[in-house]
């Protein structure tokens, strides 16, 4: 008695099942998207953290080099030469 040989043709169901990622991965990605959506909604509902806080501005006549006018000038400090 001979064994029937499997057909060389693949059915669409076999191809589709190999093309899709595992169900556990799909579930994890769905959970991840849901967590980010909920955290975004909570953050949007809470509003800005510090509404009165603004970035540094250069309206005080500064040079705009990123060093504010209130900083200390430390250029004349020695580098621990032991004097």
């Amino acid at each position: 008695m001979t064994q029937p040989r499997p057909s060389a043709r693949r059915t669409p169901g076999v191809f589709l099942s190999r093309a899709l990622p595992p169900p556990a991965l799909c579930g994890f990605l769905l959970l991840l998207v849901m967590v980010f959506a909920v955290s975004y909604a909570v953050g949007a509902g809470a509003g800005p953290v510090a509404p009165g806080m603004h970035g540094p501005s250069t309206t005080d006549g500064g040079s705009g080099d990123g060093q504010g006018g209130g900083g200390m000038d430390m250029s004349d400090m020695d580098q621990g030469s032991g004097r």
Side-chain angles (χ1 to χ4, degrees):
M1 194 169 218
T2 62
Q3 296 286 333
R5 293 175 55 190
S7 66
R9 249 180 33 179
R10 292 188 176 179
T11 61
V14 172
F15 177 72
L16 186 61
S17 69
R18 285 190 174 196
L20 291 176
L25 179 62
C26 291
F28 174 73
L29 292 176
L30 180 66
L31 180 66
L32 193 64
V33 167
M34 287 174 51
V35 166
F36 277 115
V38 169
S39 68
Y40 179 80
V42 168
V49 175
M53 192 165 104
H54 300 287
S57 64
T58 58
T59 59
D60 60 350
S63 63
D65 59 357
Q67 296 178 1
M72 292 175 29
D73 183 21
M74 300 178 79
S75 61
D76 61 343
M77 289 183 63
D78 58 56
Q79 298 294 322
S81 61
R83 289 191 281 171

